[in-house]
């Protein structure tokens, strides 16, 4: 009965389903009884969650670029989905310095094309654009950003995500506030970790690549503080939000933050140290005078809106978040193991913990 049983038997279209969060979302939706349709670029490596879980054989998989407006719109009209979740993006800060044009093209026009496809498909009753905590104009202050704080971003990735939020707000005001139209929202999450993420220049994938080679990870920014959360935390928020948009309508439109509790921000060094408490086989070193491109040092979200209105809140403690993440990567590295079943086992364990905390979406 998770998420009010609303996804069972429904068609759900997920852009970016070959990516880290998108593939986990596709797995969870499949377990909820949804008919899942994905539209995305091919996976980037054989270690990606989409590949190791064999998702091309489990869900409806369509390769495509969100920059191709005609193809995306045609796929929506072919599928006629009830729900749509937009996760397709260029998701890396450092890559955005190397390819700013591609980053802006994907993250801005991809968002426009998504909303145009939703607008052209009356079957869609609820749609969510997934962005990031980096969409906010980060002033390095100590309190969390709220949904009505200004958008911004110094690096191309963060700026592109701020723009994606502005595009969504414009489409909401211009087209989707009318009665009888699709109910839409945006979802902003912090730094998401968990098994199946092997992207370059991310601290946890980099750590486990070094771990796999029996090497020590070089940490370039050990004191950067982030709202770390296991991938299932924001996904439960997105699914909860989608269900409320479908059931209760436009009162749930707009932006929503999903992150850890206010005092649960930890530094990069603290995160890796916690992994080493659980499994001492890895390691790291901090180089002197490391030269790095700009990344925010302090960043966190205020989740009061989701807690009070969605009745959503984080399930896992910091220790449990690291435990879930370590277990996921150890399953990745044991390629003879059924990775898909291990993902389902974590989803079930997470849902059980949510039920124990009496969260409405888990009951």
């Amino acid at each position: 009965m998770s998420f009010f049983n609303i996804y069972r038997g429904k068609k759900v279209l997920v852009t970016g389903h070959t990516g880290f969060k998108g593939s986990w979302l596709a797995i969870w939706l499949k377990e909820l009884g949804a008919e899942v349709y994905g539209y995305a670029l091919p996976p980037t490596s054989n270690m990606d969650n989409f590949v190791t879980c064999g998702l091309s054989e489990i869900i409806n998989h369509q390769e495509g670029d969100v920059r191709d407006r005609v193809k995306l719109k045609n796929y929506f009209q072919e599928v006629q989905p009830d729900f749509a979740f937009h996760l397709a993006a260029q998701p890396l800060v450092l890559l955005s310095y190397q390819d700013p044009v591609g980053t802006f093209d994907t993250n801005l026009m991809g968002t426009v094309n998504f909303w145009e496809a939703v607008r052209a498909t009356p079957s869609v009753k609820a749609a969510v654009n997934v962005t990031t905590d980096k969409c906010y104009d980060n002033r390095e202050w100590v309190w969390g950003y709220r949904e009505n704080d200004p958008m911004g971003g110094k690096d191309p990735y963060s700026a592109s995500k701020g723009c994606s939020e502005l595009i969504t707000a414009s489409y909401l005001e211009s087209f989707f506030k009318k009665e009888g139209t699709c109910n839409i929202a945006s979802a902003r999450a912090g730094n998401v970790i968990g098994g199946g993420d092997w992207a370059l220049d991310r601290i946890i994938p980099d750590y486990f690549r070094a771990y796999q080679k029996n090497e020590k990870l070089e940490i370039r920014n050990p004191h950067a503080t982030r709202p770390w959360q296991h991938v299932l935390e924001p996904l439960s928020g997105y699914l909860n939000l989608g269900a409320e948009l479908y059931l209760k309508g436009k009162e749930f439109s707009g932006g929503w933050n999903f992150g850890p509790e206010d005092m649960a921000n930890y530094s990069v060094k603290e995160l890796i140290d916690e992994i080493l408490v659980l499994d001492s086989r890895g390691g790291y070193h901090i180089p002197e005078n490391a030269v790095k491109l700009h990344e925010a040092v302090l960043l966190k979200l205020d989740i009061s809106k989701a807690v009070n209105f969605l009745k959503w809140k984080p399930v896992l403690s910091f220790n449990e978040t690291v435990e879930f993440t370590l277990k996921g990567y150890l399953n990745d590295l044991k390629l003879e193991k059924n990775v898909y079943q291990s993902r389902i086992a974590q989803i079930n364990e997470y849902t059980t913990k949510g039920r124990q905390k009496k969260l409405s979406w888990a009951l």
Side-chain angles (χ1 to χ4, degrees), residues 303-312:
I303 60 172
S304 301
K305 182 181 176 184
V307 170
N308 288 299
F309 294 102
L310 278 178
K311 307 304 178 187
W312 174 93

Side-chain angles (χ1 to χ4, degrees), residues 8 85 124:
R8 182 167 297 281
F85 291 89
V124 185

Side-chain angles (χ1 to χ4, degrees), residues 17 57 66 117 148 170 180 196 218 263 311 321:
H17 69 291
E57 306 299 321
V66 290
N148 57 356
S170 174
E218 180 179 295
M263 301 306 293
K311 307 304 178 187
T321 295

Side-chain angles (χ1 to χ4, degrees), residues 14-310:
V14 179
T15 69
H17 69 291
T18 57
F20 170 47
K21 283 201 290 186
S23 58
W24 272 94
L25 180 60
I27 294 168
W28 202 344
L29 283 164
K30 183 71 175 176
E31 288 306 297
L32 291 171
E35 192 174 338
V36 185
Y37 294 81
Y39 180 95
L41 295 173
T44 57
S45 82
N46 288 333
M47 289 298 291
D48 286 355
N49 196 46
F50 177 84
V51 176
T52 59
C53 290
L55 283 184
S56 63
E57 306 299 321
I58 296 170
I59 67 168
N60 301 285
H61 168 56
Q62 174 65 54
E63 286 189 4
D65 193 322
V66 290
R67 293 174 291 186
D68 188 336
R69 184 181 309 155
V70 173
K71 184 173 182 178
L72 180 61
K73 186 183 291 187
N74 288 343
Y75 190 59
F76 264 77
Q77 295 184 339
E78 174 189 335
V79 172
Q80 292 290 306
D82 301 287
F83 293 86
F85 291 89
H86 181 48
L87 287 86
Q90 193 298 91
L92 300 172
V93 172
L94 295 184
L95 181 57
S96 77
Y97 283 103
Q98 299 165 21
D99 184 16
V101 174
T103 298
F104 282 113
D105 197 13
T106 299
N107 294 352
L108 274 69
M109 291 312 300
T111 302
V112 170
N113 295 342
F114 173 77
W115 290 127
E116 283 295 301
V118 170
R119 260 204 330 140
T121 313
S123 65
V124 185
K125 299 299 186 290
V128 177
N129 177 32
V130 173
T131 65
T132 171
D133 57 350
K134 296 179 181 64
C135 68
Y136 291 106
D137 181 14
N138 187 7
R139 302 179 187 181
E140 305 277 357
W141 53 36
V142 296
W143 51 87
Y145 291 90
R146 295 173 295 179
E147 286 83 353
N148 57 356
D149 280 324
M151 298 293 108
K154 294 180 177 65
D155 59 88
Y157 169 74
S158 301
S160 75
K161 285 302 193 176
C163 290
S164 179
E165 286 285 351
L166 294 174
I167 289 166
T168 299
S170 174
Y171 269 80
L172 173 60
E173 291 294 329
S174 301
F175 306 111
F176 291 109
K177 274 200 169 178
K178 302 171 186 175
E179 287 302 318
T181 58
C182 176
N183 301 318
I184 77 167
S186 64
R188 306 149 190 178
N191 285 56
V192 178
I193 58 178
D197 181 12
W198 291 95
L200 297 174
D201 298 316
R202 281 183 180 160
I203 187 66
I204 293 296
D206 287 349
Y207 174 83
F208 281 100
R209 270 188 285 270
Y211 178 106
Q212 192 176 22
K213 298 174 184 175
N214 198 28
E215 297 175 353
K216 290 187 176 182
L217 172 67
E218 180 179 295
I219 299 180
R220 64 178 179 267
N221 201 355
H223 303 298
T225 300
R226 295 287 185 268
W228 309 106
Q229 54 189 322
H230 189 267
V231 62
L232 294 178
E233 300 275 37
L235 294 189
S236 69
Y238 307 161
L239 290 167
N240 194 353
L241 177 57
E244 294 288 18
L245 286 167
Y246 189 93
L247 290 168
K248 297 180 182 176
K250 300 193 185 302
E251 63 186 282
F252 287 92
S253 294
W256 297 83
N257 288 340
F258 298 101
E261 302 284 0
D262 183 54
M263 301 306 293
N265 276 28
Y266 293 85
S267 71
V268 169
K269 183 178 183 300
E270 288 171 321
L271 175 67
I272 301 301
D273 284 341
E274 185 67 23
I275 294 175
L276 289 168
V277 169
L278 299 171
D279 189 327
S280 61
R281 287 175 289 178
Y284 65 87
H285 68 96
I286 302 170
E288 293 184 9
N289 303 318
V291 177
K292 56 183 182 295
L293 295 168
H294 176 271
E295 286 189 77
V297 174
L298 178 62
L299 185 60
K300 66 178 178 179
L301 296 174
D302 184 325
I303 60 172
S304 301
K305 182 181 176 184
V307 170
N308 288 299
F309 294 102
L310 278 178

